Amino acid sequence: MVATTLVCAGDVMINRPDAHSMLRHVAEIFKGADVAYCNLEGPMCDVGEKHPGKAGISLHLRSTPQAANALADAGIDVVSLANNHTMDYGIAGLDQTISLLDGVRIAHAGAGHDLAAARQPALLDVNGLRIALLSYSSVCVAPFAATKTTPGLAMVRIKTSYAANLRLFQQPGSPMLTKTVGEPEDVAMLLDDVKAAKLGADIVIVAWHWGVSERWGKLADYQRELGHAVIDAGARAIIGHHAHMLLGMEFYHGCPIIYSLGNFAFDLDHPYFRRESAIVIFDVSRDGVANIRVIPVLINDQHEPIPVRADGDGRKVAWFLEYLSEELNTKFVNRGEHVELLV
């Protein structure tokens, strides 16, 4: 079988007069892949009203409708929709987003007209291989979640508890001890979806909006626990996002878990955002995922992703990823143009 390449990038939100300019520096990489993926952060729309459920909690984001053609022309084949901005402009914004994606033949997963639709994988047939991509979010306000009868996104809810850190008695300002676990009903749904997708596809990839943003830089404990469970259920890779920065990369039973690819092409300035990003390239087959390469990316002053060599300007990105992965036992080998990940 011919090797099939899957290229993955992080959060994308394009809101500028010339939407095509955003991805001009990376389009060649996307077009050179068999399948190119990114997380579409928020709707693409010029309709809808700001969702009142987010008032005072976080910003309402959206891409211009012209972003659909910009993504397609840059070579993007599939996007994930399950994230904490998908419903920022209500049902009307989601409907227009799905219509625009369908119009340019970009596959999508993670949101829909009801929960059953949101849970459906995007299916991509290439080189005789069928790839299923599932998309979920563990970060959003409750009204964004799809139900049996209402539109929204596929949600895996997480319960959080806190306990006092005994170091408080000698170290004022010590953070609380935080424990996070998945809601059993949602976790069971997630694992059932992975198993079902595996029955109808050669390989299953899970895109997951999860963890903690605001430059926290650490994994929540549920991420490793549930990430491992998803691999055990049959997924062969997890592509994470939401942190707006890179996070660590891990192999579990030989399968990569990319905890966060960070911002990629995001038309917004924020003090919590970092400018390091990455493009991850996999070779996929019925046997799984192999030959994992990371192309370092730096975000310029116009919010545009610029690929850089790992032995040049990208050395900082390579070092940062290795630092973030210290406790995950992942080996990084600088190959010049890119970094290779080894178990």
Side-chain angles (χ1 to χ4, degrees), residues 136 156 186-195 206 208 230:
Y136 304 91
V156 178
D186 292 358
V187 173
M189 174 198 75
L190 165 66
L191 300 182
D192 285 346
D193 289 350
V194 172
K195 293 172 184 176
V206 172
W208 205 331
V230 163

Side-chain angles (χ1 to χ4, degrees), residues 317-329:
V317 180
W319 173 86
F320 190 43
L321 273 173
E322 189 167 3
Y323 165 74
L324 292 167
S325 306
E326 277 184 340
E327 297 181 1
L328 303 176
N329 298 317

